[in-house]
Every structure is written in C-alpha cells, then in structure tokens.
Amino acid sequence: MHLAFRLSVRLRFFLLINLLLALGSSLPAQAQNAPAERPKVTRILFLLDASGSMMAPWEGQPRWEVAKRLLAKMADSLNSYPNLELGLRVYGHQHPNAEQNCEDSRLEVPFAPKNAAAIKAKLKVLKAQGNTPITYSLGQSANDFPLDKTSRNVLLLITDGVESCKGDPCAISLALQRKRVFLKPFVIGIGAQKEFGKALECLGQYYNAAEVKTFKTVLNDVIAQTLAKTTVAINLTDENGRPVETNVNMTFVNNVTGQPEYNYVHYRDAQGKADVLDIDALQSYDLTINTVPPVRQANLAIKAGKANVLSYRTPQGTLALQGPNVSPNPYGTVQAVVRTPAGATAVALPFGARQKLLAGNYEVEMLTLPRTVQRIAIRQGQTTTLTYAAPGTLNITSDLKGQGSIYQVGADDSQTWVANLPEASSKVNLAMQPGVYRLVFRTATSTGSKFTDVRNFTIRSTQTTSVAIFGR
C-alpha cells in the first residue's frame, strides 16, 4: 500500500507538470521572457617564438627564459577571469635551426577555461632552438580557434625576429582578419631594435619591448585592452558646437573586413546627453553618420578601456518640396534631384516630401519639362521650401509622321533643346513650364530640309496652347 501511494503521488506530479506545460504553451508569446543573451567568450592565443635566437642574452638572462616566466605569470593572473579561454602555440621548438624547418609550429595547449596550469607546465619543458616560420604559424592558428562566430578571438605574437621562411606574414594576417578568424593581432618585439618593428607592424598593433621592464608593461597593457570595457558616446553638434542633433543612423564599419560591425540610431536622453555604446576596441573602424549627405570619419580614434566621447559637426535643416497649387497637376508627381556643390547626388525625392539635409548650399534639379534648376541654402534648424511654376499644356493638333523637336527660346533668341516628338505622330499633349518655345518639324514625306516647319509659341501657367504643323 505504501508503494501504491508513492506511485500515485508520482502520477499526480507527472499530470500536473504536463498541465502546466500545456497552459504555458497557450500563453501569448509576448508574455514569455526572452532568453538572456550569453556573454561572449574571449579567446587569447599566445603565439610564442621559440627560435634559436631566443636564447640570446637579454639583461643577463636568455630572452626565452624571460618570455616564459612573464607569460606564465600572465596566464596565472588571467585564470580567474570568466568567459576567457587561453591557448598556446609555439614555433621553432621541435627542430634545431640547422634543419631550417619551415613547418615547425604546434598548438601545445588548446583553448580551455582556467588552463593556466597546463600552459605553465608546457612552458617548463619547451626549448628554443629552431627557425622562425611566422607565416606558417599564423596560417595554422586559423585551425586553433573553435568555430564560434560569437567569440572574440585575439592573437598575441611574441617574437624577437622576423620571418625566416620567405613567407608573407602581413598578407596572411590581413586575410585571416578579413575572414574574422581573429581580430587585429598584437605583436610584441622583444629585445629588438626600433627598425625591427617596421617589418612586423603591418601584422597588427606592434609594440617594441627593447627592455625586460617594457616587455612586462606591454603584456599588461595588451591584456587590459583585451578585457577592459570600452565605451563610445557620439555628440552630433550644430553650427555652434552644441550637441543637439540626434535620431541619425550611425554605422561603425570594420575597416579591415569592410563590413558593418554596429548600426545604431543616435539617441539623446531627457537631459540631452548622447547614450553610451559598448564598442569592441580591438577592431578598427570607419564611422559613417548617415545624414544627407553623410559625414564620414576614417580610422576612428577609440582608446581601449576608456569612456570615449567623440563629437562631429552635423548641423541640419529641412528641405520641403511643395508642388504648385493646381489640381489635377498635369505632371503627376514630379521628382527632384538634390546635388552638392561638387555635383554629387545627395538624394532624389518626389514633390510633397520633406528631407533633412546638412546645412549648406545645394543645387536642386526639378524634373519638370523642361527641367528646372534652382540653387538653395539650407540653414541650421530652418525649413527651406521649394516649388516650381504651375505648368501649362502644349497641344499639337496636327497628326503627322516625321522628325521634330521642341526648344526653349532665350531672351537673346538662343535655343535649348527640351524634347523630341514621337516619329509616329506629332499629335501630343505635353505639360510644360511657362515660357517661350520653338517647334522645329519636318514631315517624313518631305523631299528636302527646306521643307522644315519652324514656329514659336508661348506656354502660360494653367492654360493650353494649341499649335498646328503644316506638312509639305
């Protein structure tokens, strides 16, 4: 009976759980909490030079021993960090330099959390003796990082020499950055002269650690940049430098991959302060502030581990395109093309639209017939309204086949081409801007240029002008 009671309790518990699950599945989707976003894992791969030159003395002891000791200490200090994994790849340690082995590179400690002990143990048994295959090692490191698109992959190269295997480490570093295998690497040249860095600074962010003390400082700085929080606040200012502009899309483009890393619509709080954005400072960016026309900043100056505040001048006014008060409008909807003083197209808009523009001078081409061009000035915080004259209508009453064109006639009797007539029939109705025009037409059946018919006419707003062509 006691066993039956326990089975009964289990059965009732099972039924209750299923009932709750069924009720939960029937709840509205918006009532359910979204799963919390998992924090990104940061993976740091130490790429350590174990070539024969690392046995050279450095302030009384071999460079190799200094590098191992400080790297072991660094791994120890990082062991307690959450969401951090370390790995160790070494090159030049498996074959003596006399063999000139250009594939002497091995992942000695794979990525894992809290693996400082494994890294320290491995460092104790390694010896420096071989070649310097930096290019090959970088290529192999691509297989060391797990296939995790959400992680931050960081590579730290510690070396005292340049490539010795005729490879191109700069090219492969750039290729792997573009593939997002790792972020821009850190490169520490130890015990080296200043000229040494010129060959390696193209790999990533280069540090010259000519002294042991500097090497220790640089290691700490690199780790601080990697793990410290970096923020950026963008102030969009008016002509007087006041940060009053907002509601503009901002795109942070990774200038190595060419791809957008962050898209934000600028926001100011009730106190007028721009909000603070979390930006990964281990990448380099070009910033595009998507005003019209856009404001661009190459190589954004972001200091890692700092609260960065950047300001950009983006005063804006509004262009309002307002058609004439006629109904119906013979044109239908007229488009306008807004160009900068340099002639670049800023935006194309239909009449009836309103568009914010950076303060400045523009040329607006209105696609009326003929096209109308007007120069305007956009002022900070002001609206500039632009319109065009109400059109009239040209009615060609003759139905003739032939070649004909319409020209606008200037005050000095000069003429500017406006449009061609259809060859199949000259009988058309065209909405046109007010002004004086000239019609030039020759029928398809005429036997010479002297039979060309030329006549002037005038278009007035909201009125129809009829023109007859005489065939010869």
Side-chain angles (χ1 to χ4, degrees):
M1 184 174 178
H2 184 64
L3 177 61
F5 176 77
R6 281 191 298 170
L7 288 174
S8 175
V9 169
R10 287 181 180 177
L11 179 60
R12 282 181 289 180
F13 178 78
F14 177 79
L15 291 173
L16 178 61
I17 291 297
N18 277 275
L19 176 60
L20 290 173
L21 288 173
L23 288 172
S25 65
S26 66
L27 291 175
Q30 60 267 28
Q32 300 177 18
N33 291 325
E37 183 180 349
R38 293 177 59 186
K40 284 186 177 182
V41 173
T42 296
R43 295 187 174 93
I44 302 176
L45 178 65
F46 296 111
L47 181 54
L48 181 60
D49 183 351
S51 61
S53 61
M54 287 288 284
M55 294 305 296
W58 193 22
E59 297 183 13
Q61 52 188 319
R63 296 170 182 168
W64 176 241
E65 295 302 327
V66 175
K68 288 198 301 179
R69 183 179 75 252
L70 293 180
L71 192 55
K73 186 176 180 180
M74 179 60 62
D76 244 352
S77 68
L78 295 173
N79 213 42
S80 61
Y81 277 82
N83 306 309
L84 177 65
E85 297 183 7
L86 304 178
L88 174 65
R89 172 174 282 275
V90 184
Y91 62 81
H93 61 304
Q94 300 174 101
H95 300 270
N97 187 264
E99 295 183 14
Q100 292 293 293
N101 191 303
C102 286
E103 294 184 356
D104 185 359
S105 180
R106 181 177 175 181
L107 178 65
E108 294 292 351
V109 181
F111 283 107
K114 303 184 185 304
N115 60 347
I119 290 176
K120 291 192 296 181
K122 180 59 65 174
L123 288 172
K124 287 180 180 179
V125 300
L126 296 175
K127 62 179 181 178
Q129 59 174 335
N131 218 349
T132 313
I134 297 177
T135 304
Y136 178 78
S137 298
L138 287 171
Q140 293 299 300
S141 72
N143 303 315
D144 299 341
F145 293 96
L147 295 175
D148 179 2
K149 292 183 179 180
T150 64
S151 65
R152 299 169 71 241
N153 295 339
V154 181
L155 187 140
L156 172 55
L157 169 62
I158 301 171
T159 182
D160 76 334
V162 295
E163 174 70 43
S164 63
C165 290
K166 298 181 180 179
D168 188 344
C170 297
I172 195 167
S173 174
L174 185 60
L176 293 176
Q177 290 176 64
R178 285 175 174 165
K179 291 180 181 178
R180 298 178 180 268
V181 173
F182 50 65
L183 306 177
K184 183 178 289 187
F186 294 101
V187 183
I188 303 178
I190 61 175
Q193 302 300 317
K194 290 184 178 179
E195 293 75 16
F196 171 77
K198 294 179 181 178
L200 292 177
E201 60 187 7
C202 57
L203 279 169
Q205 189 168 341
Y206 177 77
Y207 294 88
N208 181 43
E211 302 170 344
V212 174
K213 181 180 179 181
T214 307
F215 178 47
K216 182 178 180 181
T217 302
V218 167
L219 268 180
N220 290 330
D221 183 56
V222 167
I223 297 304
Q225 287 190 54
T226 302
L227 300 179
K229 183 177 181 180
T230 302
T231 63
V232 176
I234 303 288
N235 284 327
L236 304 181
T237 70
D238 63 10
E239 293 173 333
N240 298 315
R242 297 173 301 178
V244 297
E245 297 288 351
T246 190
N247 299 331
V248 178
N249 171 255
M250 303 180 299
T251 306
F252 293 77
V253 177
N254 184 319
N255 59 20
V256 174
T257 67
Q259 300 298 314
E261 291 289 342
Y262 305 96
N263 267 304
Y264 295 110
V265 176
H266 189 270
Y267 175 80
R268 291 170 55 234
D269 62 19
Q271 286 73 44
K273 293 182 179 180
D275 58 350
V276 175
L277 310 173
D278 291 332
I279 300 293
D280 193 337
L282 297 190
Q283 300 180 105
S284 53
Y285 306 95
D286 296 336
L287 175 66
T288 299
I289 302 169
N290 293 289
T291 50
V292 179
V295 173
R296 293 187 172 94
Q297 173 65 59
N299 297 317
L300 203 60
I302 298 178
K303 294 182 180 179
K306 304 293 183 181
N308 298 267
V309 179
L310 307 175
S311 296
Y312 297 94
R313 188 173 176 271
T314 58
Q316 296 181 88
T318 300
L319 170 62
L321 296 177
Q322 183 176 305
N325 188 23
V326 291
S327 183
N329 189 333
Y331 285 135
T333 300
V334 172
Q335 299 289 324
V337 180
V338 182
R339 296 187 177 91
T340 66
T345 298
V347 66
L349 300 165
F351 268 79
R354 296 171 64 88
Q355 174 67 53
K356 273 193 169 184
L357 296 171
L358 284 180
N361 298 319
Y362 296 90
E363 181 181 270
V364 182
E365 183 179 17
M366 296 165 275
L367 305 187
T368 54
L369 186 69
R371 297 189 178 195
T372 308
V373 176
Q374 189 167 334
R375 289 177 174 83
I376 61 168
I378 298 296
R379 307 296 185 194
Q380 163 75 38
Q382 299 180 21
T383 297
T384 299
T385 302
L386 186 60
T387 190
Y388 57 88
T393 302
L394 168 63
N395 176 29
I396 299 180
T397 59
S398 306
D399 186 4
L400 298 171
K401 292 182 179 180
Q403 289 74 37
S405 299
I406 299 171
Y407 297 87
Q408 190 171 30
V409 179
D412 58 353
D413 203 42
S414 61
Q415 61 185 44
T416 304
W417 177 86
V418 173
N420 289 334
L421 297 181
E423 293 185 14
S425 174
S426 60
K427 191 173 185 179
V428 294
N429 280 279
L430 294 176
M432 299 181 66
Q433 286 291 282
V436 178
Y437 296 89
R438 179 170 293 145
L439 174 62
V440 179
F441 187 86
R442 181 179 61 79
T443 62
T445 57
S446 64
T447 57
S449 298
K450 64 182 179 179
F451 299 113
T452 301
D453 190 11
V454 179
R455 58 190 60 240
N456 290 356
F457 61 93
T458 300
I459 297 293
R460 295 178 175 83
S461 291
T462 70
Q463 297 183 23
T464 298
T465 299
S466 296
V467 177
I469 302 174
F470 299 100
R472 300 180 189 180

